[in-house]
Amino acid sequence: MRSFVLEVWGELACFTRPEFKVERFSYPLITPSAARGIFDAIYLDFDPQSKKPLMYWQISRIEVLRPVRYISLMRNEVKEKASLRNIQAWMRDPSRLEPLYADATKDDTGQDTKGRTQRQTMALKDVRYRLSAHAVLYREDPALRQKIEHSFERRARAGQCLYQPYLGCREFTGYFRLVEPGEEARPVDYTEKIGWMLYDVFDLSRPGAPLRTDRGEKPRISLFEAEVVAGVLLVPPYESERVQKGVN
């Protein structure tokens, strides 16, 4: 089992604390869920028949390389999004097309309600992290593990990704590079007991769980007590008792 380290950075980031509900207020650093998403963006292996992932990336360590700094933003967010089912129906019958208006008038929709809303966002600025992770296979296979690790290393070193990684919100672009063995970095002098922190929004123990949001299944929230010591957050394994998992 090989552990890989990515250095990730960006101008803006927002890892929303769920307890703030409508307004977006970021955790002081990246969550394991967002970190896993960056590894997923580079490489994720699927079963060719079921189309379900054969593995997931287990984040083990997060290092904060830049001081924590917040910035207050006012952002426009759309209230609706196009569903895959509706798009497929429109393709079969164009007469059923129902456009989504981001800023409609009463003449467009017959009502005063607009398709967007303004929200206050307390985001992070100028972030940089080092993320350590290894692949967890749902069914251990030495040949498959070798393929996954070789493919990830090759793609990460070349800067290739399946889609552009993002830092919490899709408009906050994330950049990455593979950290080679022997490279050192000094985390910032930052220590804080964060308390309950979002671990993930999917049940990582079930193959294919991260792809099931379009099938009407509810997410399964998990939390853990996070403490940053000298700029380092150690992340327990998903199956650990330290990770509190919700019930579907």
Side-chain angles (χ1 to χ4, degrees):
M1 181 185 299
R2 293 183 58 189
S3 180
F4 296 97
V5 181
L6 292 178
E7 189 162 314
V8 177
W9 67 94
E11 295 180 0
L12 293 169
C14 184
F15 311 106
T16 308
R17 302 183 73 118
E19 63 266 32
F20 283 86
K21 296 184 179 180
V22 175
E23 303 300 333
R24 296 188 181 276
F25 195 102
S26 179
Y27 285 107
L29 75 161
I30 189 171
T31 62
S33 176
R36 178 182 61 78
I38 295 175
F39 279 81
D40 286 349
I42 298 172
Y43 187 78
L44 192 63
D45 209 306
F46 294 86
D47 184 293
Q49 296 181 345
S50 66
K51 307 300 182 183
K52 295 179 180 179
L54 297 170
M55 44 79 70
Y56 68 89
W57 291 102
Q58 173 64 64
I59 306 299
S60 58
R61 182 184 176 96
I62 297 173
E63 299 174 67
V64 184
L65 303 184
R66 291 277 175 83
V68 178
R69 297 195 299 167
Y70 284 93
I71 182 171
S72 180
L73 305 170
M74 183 69 75
R75 300 162 59 242
N76 288 332
E77 296 188 7
V78 294
K79 296 180 179 179
E80 302 175 87
K81 65 179 181 180
S83 69
L84 177 61
R85 181 178 302 176
N86 287 342
I87 292 175
Q88 291 173 338
W90 300 340
M91 293 172 65
R92 291 191 296 267
D93 182 4
S95 65
R96 298 175 60 184
L97 174 64
E98 296 180 6
L100 297 178
Y101 293 96
D103 199 5
T105 65
K106 190 172 183 179
D107 294 335
D108 297 320
T109 62
Q111 55 184 355
D112 293 326
T113 303
K114 295 183 178 181
R116 65 173 175 85
T117 182
Q118 285 194 329
R119 288 183 177 176
Q120 184 72 24
T121 298
M122 188 63 73
L124 302 171
K125 63 178 181 178
D126 190 23
V127 300
R128 184 176 290 266
Y129 308 106
R130 275 198 175 184
L131 312 175
S132 302
H134 61 270
V136 176
L137 277 61
Y138 291 112
R139 186 174 182 180
E140 190 60 45
D141 181 339
L144 177 60
R145 176 171 293 281
Q146 185 177 19
K147 172 196 171 187
I148 290 172
E149 294 176 347
H150 174 74
S151 298
F152 178 85
E153 182 178 34
R154 172 178 54 81
R155 292 177 60 82
R157 182 173 285 129
Q160 297 176 330
C161 51
L162 302 171
Y163 55 87
Q164 182 65 47
Y166 54 92
L167 302 173
C169 298
R170 289 188 181 273
E171 61 267 39
F172 296 158
T173 302
Y175 306 93
F176 68 90
R177 73 174 186 90
L178 180 67
V179 177
E180 303 291 350
E183 288 190 47
E184 296 183 359
R186 181 176 296 179
V188 296
D189 185 16
Y190 165 56
T191 298
E192 181 181 358
K193 287 188 176 181
I194 298 175
W196 290 108
M197 186 180 198
L198 178 69
Y199 191 98
D200 214 293
V201 295
F202 298 109
D203 183 357
L204 298 180
S205 65
R206 294 190 303 163
L211 302 180
R212 293 178 177 174
T213 53
D214 60 345
R215 303 182 189 178
E217 295 195 21
K218 295 181 180 180
R220 188 186 186 194
I221 304 296
S222 52
L223 305 167
F224 76 112
E225 287 198 74
E227 181 177 5
V228 182
V229 178
V232 177
L233 173 62
L234 298 179
V235 182
Y238 181 73
E239 65 272 12
S240 169
E241 293 183 354
R242 292 177 53 195
V243 180
Q244 302 296 309
K245 305 170 184 67
V247 179
N248 290 340

